[in-house]
Amino acid sequence: MRWTIGRDGLVRAGLGVLAGTQLVLGLWVLVLPELFWKWPWVSHLPPYNEHLLRDFGGAGLALAVVLCAAVATMERRLVLTALVAYLASSVPHLVFHSGHLAPLSAASGAGFMALLGTAVVLPAVLLWLAASRGSAEGD
């Protein structure tokens, strides 16, 4: 017997990865902003602003809530909305940081861009999968 995950399973798993990432990142920045600030990819753009970091952490948690709801329900409109919301955050984040790599080493900058690029490519692929599955399922 061959086991396959299927399109919905891939979308659910990908949403789960995005939700988990946002949950961990949001909690980290909200609860321990000073520790997050010490990350070399963050601290190279001073000055430190605790208020801004805590707001960013709260926004990350809010996005995690929406992503978790999409994982739990797999309702097509919610899945599409959650992924578009994620992209609305991750695309400008990538664009901004791509223009501010000078303080980083080449290897660190490449790693950072790979990480931020994945945060755009993964939800874009999931959005394509979810949008192409049709509206007959769960709407």
Side-chain angles (χ1 to χ4, degrees):
M1 178 168 70
R2 194 173 85 164
W3 182 81
T4 59
I5 190 168
R7 180 184 306 248
D8 280 357
L10 286 173
V11 172
R12 185 185 299 265
L15 284 166
V17 168
L18 296 176
T21 301
Q22 284 301 301
L23 181 65
V24 169
L25 181 63
L27 284 172
W28 179 17
V29 179
L30 187 62
V31 175
L32 300 167
E34 300 89 359
L35 185 59
F36 179 76
W37 178 254
K38 290 180 182 177
W39 188 279
W41 291 342
V42 177
S43 61
H44 78 274
L45 294 170
Y48 172 78
N49 184 323
E50 181 180 352
H51 174 213
L52 183 61
L53 283 172
R54 289 188 189 268
D55 285 354
F56 174 66
L61 286 179
L63 185 53
V65 168
V66 174
L67 289 162
C68 286
V71 170
T73 66
M74 287 302 288
E75 193 275 322
R76 185 171 185 264
R77 284 175 293 222
L78 181 55
V79 168
L80 296 176
T81 301
L83 290 168
V84 169
Y86 193 94
L87 285 166
S89 172
S90 64
V91 169
H93 193 207
L94 171 67
V95 170
F96 176 83
H97 281 291
S98 68
H100 295 87
L101 295 172
L104 302 174
S105 70
S108 183
F112 192 33
M113 286 296 97
L115 179 67
L116 295 179
T118 300
V120 170
V121 172
L122 175 60
V125 169
L126 295 173
L127 182 62
W128 175 77
L129 289 171
S132 64
R133 88 177 229 237
S135 61
E137 302 166 35
D139 285 338

